[in-house]
Amino acid sequence: MASRRGFLAGLIAAGVFPAPTWADAGAPKYISAARTADGAYVLVGVSMEGTETFRLPLPGRGHAATAHPRLPHAVAFARRPGRFAVVLDCRDGTTLATLDSPVGLHFYGHGTYDASGGLLFTTENDFENGQGRIGVWDVTKGYKRIGEFSSQGIGPHDIRLMPDDTLVIANGGIDTHPETGRQKLNLATMQPNLSYVTQNGELLDQIMPSQHHASIRHLSVHSDGTVAVGMQWQGDTSRAPALIGLHKRGREMALLGAGDVLDGYVGSIAFSNDGTQVAATSPRSGQMQIFSTRDRTLIQTLTQPDICGAAPFTAGFIATTGQGQILSSGKGTRELNTFDLAWDNHLVPL
Amino acid sequence: MRLPIILALMPTLAFADPRVDAALDTHILPAFEQLSMATKVLADAQTCAPHAEWQDVTQAWLAVSHLRFGPTEADNRAFGLAFWPDPRGAPPKALRTLLEQDPLDVSTASIAGRGVYALEFLLYDPAFVDDPRRCDVIKALAEDARTTADEINLDWQDRYADLMRGAGHNDTYQSEAEAVQELYKALLTGLQFASDTRLGRPLGTFERPRPKRAEMRRSERSLANLETSLISLRTLASILAQSDTNVQAAVDETFARALSRAQNISTLTGGADLSLVSDPIGRLKVEILQQDIDHIREVITTQLGPLLGVDAGFNALDGD
């Protein structure tokens, strides 16, 4: 049965009706999940000036959100081991669809659309078998699940679309099971990897970090096909290796910075708009480090407790903290705005 | 003019946060020393039935089980000593492999087949009683535990304690606040583990309690482990709250309540191994204990956190 929503989406796709755009949702430039002062969870649109463009309730703590490339749709994922993701119409907060992970699977908190916005890919855990899966959802059929394939590793976390329409997946390598919550079950034997796959799940390329306790978690992709990798060290933080990587298919991964300075933990990673800089946040050490991608040197450090969300911003970067601030880098640190909100891990650019 | 030179020679130790010093000197270092000594006694026992020695090692492990940073996390040491929980039942499989291995080499064994939890299977699970290699494996695992506990203890004494005392002068702890925050995080994580895992696993759901998932149920240590861990966490909390006796008393009161509740449960049938979760009334008692522990966390987050000036960190503690 074709749903009304699917029918409308079809008409929109066919160009019969003018499609709503992000301008209809107050033209946010970023979206982020957050916790309000009274403990509720929300998805918030943020403008270029750091002001709020919309605020919509979420059923629980979010992690990342994914924005549709054209329509004002955002998928807000539950924090792992969440079983739900909601697709919101950011104009008015209407729930367009609720994605329930199939029996035996849970979401990891990230996903990506394809270039046209017709498909959504989500990272998932097949927890009885301890294997990573990628769920495939058809947007034009009201976000119907139409398939899944192997993530080519354990614990897939972030997933991104590459400029050539392939997908890149951060397999963190860490096995967890809902029964034991977020408890890590295989730290002794974990093997993270970065996998490049087609949209049908065929493996094109795969690399592993030189140290198997460097869990590859978060990704940023530049238009030239370079992938920035943010890793989290699963060991004594005083012995953490470099946790920021730059990778291009067919080459070695280049490592940047010092992991112990970041307390062994990168929360978010982002390229600047022109790709000449890459920023990594560490809420544990309370800093965002910005590196030159050309010579891999540290250019700037922003210090702010619980800083985590990071995204490109005009020439530099914009960052959010668990204490409500929105900051920008560039010539010094500038506080754009402060909210009575705890911004959650990721600030997603539109 | 000699003073500046002296200060320059010993800058870091002179200014360590008193709470960090106290935590190291009266809590962390003695507890790892105790673990090291207990594993030595276990390894030296060289018997097939070192039940008493194993109990002491387990007790000593539980007293440090919340201190999961630094030395315990290098080279998978803590996992080699204590692999739990394991939702896929790996320890018995790993032990079977070890029991069939010839020559026996624990250093190459799966982590699931090592440490105090694996030893519990060999000492208390009837499935392993008659295995001809059982004795050899017990001795080898005891020796392996001694090596690991020694490594952790020496690493704390020779290296890591100085990193914490010298917070603000090294990259591991870039400020004194970071060392305090590390301890605060260990306290909160330990409490969360007590509530979510030590109690949450056997509680399961109301429709489906899971008593067989209780920690060390074979040796009936499930509740004792929780109590030992809480007592150790109470010590750490008291040290961290030492600058404000009101907060210290408020936090201590919450621990006292939970421990007294645990004490009551221990007198009930099915209390020691938490199998009473299968019975609705027993289950309710364990749920109330779980709420007591969650209340400790709440008081710590709302009173101790602000006192220390450290925020647990919405993102910093998230771990994604």
Side-chain angles (χ1 to χ4, degrees), chain A residues 35 61 63 79-80 127-128 130 157 175-177 179-180 182-183 185 187-188 213 217-218 232 235-239 260-261 263 265 283-285 287 306 308 321-323 342-345, chain B residues 68-71 73-77 79 83-88 111 155 159-160 163 171-174 178 181-182 185 193 196-197 201 210 213 311-320:
Chain A
R35 185 180 63 192
R61 181 166 179 184
H63 180 66
R79 179 171 179 253
R80 81 181 161 88
F127 51 80
E128 291 307 343
H157 196 72
D175 184 13
T176 57
H177 193 288
E179 263 172 34
T180 41
R182 293 158 73 86
Q183 190 74 16
L185 300 170
L187 287 191
H213 280 131
R217 290 300 177 87
H218 293 111
Q232 296 175 1
D236 177 356
T237 55
S238 67
R239 294 179 171 168
D260 57 342
V261 175
D263 282 2
Y265 188 93
R284 297 200 172 158
S285 71
Q287 52 185 322
D306 215 28
C308 197
T321 78
Q323 298 175 356
W343 294 110
D344 220 317
N345 288 248
Chain B
R68 294 299 298 269
F69 56 91
E73 305 315 293
D75 308 326
N76 295 316
R77 287 169 184 156
F79 292 101
F83 189 78
W84 191 83
D86 174 75
R88 301 205 185 88
I111 217 108
D155 200 8
R159 182 178 72 95
Y160 212 82
L163 282 180
D171 280 342
T172 305
Y173 298 105
Q174 290 162 43
E178 281 193 17
Q181 178 152 11
E182 182 89 272
K185 199 169 82 182
F193 192 77
D196 294 358
T197 309
R201 262 178 80 74
R210 310 299 291 262
R213 289 182 184 164
D311 189 343
F314 188 53
N315 295 310
L317 272 191
D318 178 58
D320 262 335

Side-chain angles (χ1 to χ4, degrees), chain B residues 3-313:
Chain B
L3 189 61
I5 297 167
I6 292 166
L7 285 178
L9 286 174
M10 44 175 296
T12 58
L13 299 184
F15 303 116
D17 188 296
R19 294 164 295 207
V20 172
D21 266 342
L24 285 165
D25 294 333
T26 66
H27 176 56
I28 299 173
L29 294 174
F32 280 107
E33 177 73 25
Q34 174 61 33
L35 177 65
S36 175
M37 288 191 319
T39 53
K40 181 180 184 324
V41 174
L42 174 68
D44 287 348
Q46 290 291 314
T47 82
C48 301
H51 292 75
E53 293 86 349
W54 174 85
Q55 292 272 354
D56 288 346
V57 170
T58 303
Q59 186 88 357
W61 163 254
L62 265 298
V64 299
S65 61
H66 59 295
L67 299 169
R68 294 299 298 269
F69 56 91
T72 54
E73 305 315 293
D75 308 326
N76 295 316
R77 287 169 184 156
F79 292 101
L81 271 182
F83 189 78
W84 191 83
D86 174 75
R88 301 205 185 88
K93 282 177 234 160
L95 277 173
R96 290 277 169 224
T97 307
L98 262 185
L99 288 164
E100 284 158 23
Q101 195 183 47
D102 190 26
L104 183 60
D105 182 7
V106 173
S107 68
T108 62
S110 154
I111 217 108
R114 295 166 57 196
V116 290
Y117 293 85
L119 275 166
E120 193 214 15
F121 277 92
L122 292 177
L123 295 176
Y124 293 93
D125 192 320
F128 293 97
V129 165
D130 297 327
D131 195 288
R133 299 287 304 284
R134 178 175 163 275
C135 257
D136 295 340
V137 175
I138 287 173
K139 289 174 190 167
L141 289 181
E143 189 56 45
D144 177 61
R146 182 234 298 259
T147 306
T148 308
D150 276 353
E151 282 172 5
I152 298 174
N153 188 35
L154 288 178
D155 200 8
W156 265 107
Q157 290 179 355
D158 297 346
R159 182 178 72 95
Y160 212 82
D162 288 342
L163 282 180
M164 293 199 87
R165 288 192 219 271
H169 303 273
N170 58 66
D171 280 342
T172 305
Y173 298 105
Q174 290 162 43
S175 67
E176 282 189 9
E178 281 193 17
V180 175
Q181 178 152 11
E182 182 89 272
L183 297 171
Y184 180 69
K185 199 169 82 182
L187 176 62
L188 280 182
T189 317
L191 286 165
Q192 184 170 4
F193 192 77
S195 172
D196 294 358
T197 309
R198 296 211 156 101
L199 294 181
R201 262 178 80 74
L203 275 171
T205 60
F206 184 80
E207 292 75 25
R208 197 176 174 203
R210 310 299 291 262
K212 290 194 172 159
R213 289 182 184 164
E215 180 186 22
M216 291 190 183
R217 64 180 174 86
R218 292 169 181 81
S219 57
E220 300 199 333
R221 283 201 54 97
S222 314
L223 189 63
N225 281 1
L226 179 87
E227 289 178 288
T228 305
S229 168
L230 282 182
I231 289 165
S232 194
L233 289 163
R234 184 187 199 176
T235 306
L236 177 58
S238 180
I239 292 167
L240 288 176
Q242 66 186 24
S243 69
D244 185 325
T245 49
N246 288 331
V247 172
Q248 198 178 32
V251 171
D252 203 64
E253 157 65 28
T254 61
F255 275 101
R257 193 194 305 176
L259 283 164
S260 131
R261 192 98 59 193
Q263 178 59 37
N264 287 341
I265 292 174
S266 73
T267 63
L268 305 173
T269 308
D273 65 356
L274 293 175
S275 60
L276 81 173
V277 295
S278 301
D279 163 61
I281 295 166
R283 175 187 176 79
L284 186 63
K285 291 184 191 301
V286 177
E287 278 180 349
I288 293 170
L289 173 58
Q290 191 179 37
Q291 285 162 18
D292 286 339
I293 296 171
D294 292 340
H295 183 58
I296 305 175
R297 285 165 67 193
E298 198 180 303
V299 171
I300 283 175
T301 319
T302 54
Q303 298 193 34
L304 181 57
L307 172 67
L308 297 177
V310 295
D311 189 343

